[in-house]
Amino acid sequence: MRYEPAIDTATITALDVHTHVESDGHDHTSLDDELLAASADYFRAAVPRTPTVADLAAYYRERSMAAVIFTVDATTALGGHPPVSSEMIAEQAAEHNDTLIPFGSVDPRRPAEAVARIRELATDYGVRGMKFHPSLQGFDPSEREYYGLYEACAELGLVALFHTGQTGIGAGLPGGRGIKLRYSDPMLLDDVAADFPDLTMILAHPSVPWADSSISIATHKANVYLDLSGWSPKYFPPQLVRAIGSILKDKALFGSDFPLITPERWMRDFEDLGIRPEAVPLIMKDNAVRVLGL
């Protein structure tokens, strides 16, 4: 079944652009037990770390919200551990297209195969974007060998969502389990944004410790947006709070990183930031509706 969105954007209260599917509903998860445990401990997750597509649909439908869902394919970097299937995610999202929007994920360390899968996921399964996690996937996104991935996304009209900054995956483990934070420096993505002006890009998270870089890139590049997931808003750097309420009010997107952070917790803390009232509906829903072509 090919995904086609059927979201009533007039009735949803918010659109969460960053949620994770880490279980196929049986015995397989995209991360191994050690990484799952380290991530849950880092975030002090209040809900199970491995919701299924159906779990996410029920959760967001109950709250009159819509959500972008995805996993991360880091097969090579994780020594052959396969992710939850992006094809499965898209097919199941099609059964819940009133509330879910599927993104795909491919292993960038296998560039030729990744480009072919991007085309298949977009054409045959209807995904609306692609999720990249340079640190977990173990690649420098500015390297030319990966440009074919971005060319395919731009040609197919897919949004490219990139993890930036600190990650809870591997946090507290010896050597961080080999995960290198520098690959998620957003300045590496400035090259991509400049070289692919027709590619809509989302820099995920407050990009700690590089928040100023993400703010600068999103201000400078018309095709770059920021999602605000992965951190409680009470921990946002002050310069980010100022920017999303003013010069970047049309570029900022609500995201929770559910199940690591719940929308309720995120929104409760967001209310305390004192964001200008005219910016709030843009951040919570309107910007995402425009970016995702809904």
Side-chain angles (χ1 to χ4, degrees):
M1 182 186 301
R2 187 180 190 278
Y3 174 84
E4 294 290 346
I7 295 168
D8 186 345
T9 59
T11 60
I12 58 172
T13 60
L15 202 166
D16 188 338
V17 301
H18 199 117
T19 74
H20 290 267
V21 180
E22 300 297 359
S23 172
D24 64 1
H26 301 289
D27 297 322
H28 183 69
T29 57
S30 287
L31 298 175
D32 60 47
D33 290 343
E34 183 181 46
L35 289 176
L36 283 173
S39 181
D41 184 61
Y42 178 82
F43 282 97
R44 297 181 177 89
V47 295
R49 180 67 176 86
T50 53
T52 64
V53 173
D55 292 334
L56 289 168
Y59 186 91
Y60 281 90
R61 189 179 292 117
E62 181 181 345
R63 289 157 178 78
S64 298
M65 297 181 185
V68 172
I69 64 171
F70 48 73
T71 191
V72 177
D73 186 341
T75 304
T76 299
L78 293 179
H81 184 89
V84 170
S85 164
S86 287
E87 290 83 354
M88 179 210 73
I89 290 172
E91 288 178 334
Q92 293 187 11
E95 301 173 8
H96 302 283
N97 62 348
D98 62 314
T99 193
L100 298 180
I101 303 159
F103 276 25
S105 183
V106 295
D107 185 353
R109 301 272 292 274
R110 303 172 180 175
E113 177 184 326
V115 169
R117 286 200 66 224
I118 287 171
R119 296 188 180 281
E120 181 181 15
L121 285 166
T123 303
D124 297 344
Y125 293 89
V127 302
R128 309 288 285 195
M130 299 299 301
K131 167 64 186 291
F132 299 98
H133 194 312
S135 290
L136 180 61
Q137 293 172 314
F139 79 109
D140 178 341
S142 68
E143 292 290 339
R144 294 279 171 164
E145 65 184 294
Y146 305 114
Y147 268 32
L149 283 70
Y150 314 139
E151 290 172 357
C153 288
E155 177 189 333
L156 294 162
L158 300 177
V159 175
L161 189 155
F162 292 86
H163 173 96
T164 65
Q166 167 77 347
T167 180
I169 301 173
L173 298 177
R177 269 283 296 270
I179 294 168
K180 297 176 180 178
L181 299 181
R182 68 182 177 89
Y183 289 149
S184 290
D185 182 341
M187 286 308 298
L188 297 175
L189 298 170
D190 187 61
D191 287 14
V192 179
D195 292 340
F196 295 92
D198 294 329
L199 175 63
T200 298
M201 298 171 56
I202 299 174
L203 309 185
H205 316 310
S207 304
V208 174
W210 301 292
D212 289 332
S213 295
S214 283
I215 293 168
S216 180
I217 296 166
T219 303
H220 188 252
K221 304 290 192 295
N223 53 319
V224 176
Y225 297 80
L226 306 181
D227 97 28
L228 304 173
S229 68
W231 291 68
S232 164
K234 68 181 178 181
Y235 298 120
F236 285 179
Q239 64 269 37
L240 178 62
V241 176
R242 289 193 298 271
I244 65 175
S246 56
I247 59 172
L248 292 180
K249 67 179 185 298
D250 296 313
K251 290 291 203 81
L253 309 168
F254 161 53
S256 67
D257 217 8
F258 186 80
L260 297 172
I261 295 177
T262 65
E264 288 87 352
R265 178 190 174 192
W266 191 99
M267 290 188 290
R268 182 178 64 248
D269 292 344
F270 182 72
E271 289 176 358
D272 295 334
L273 294 182
I275 299 294
R276 295 176 183 176
E278 63 270 23
V280 173
L282 299 174
I283 294 168
M284 296 306 300
K285 181 175 73 170
D286 296 346
N287 292 339
V289 168
R290 185 178 73 254
V291 169
L292 295 170
L294 300 177

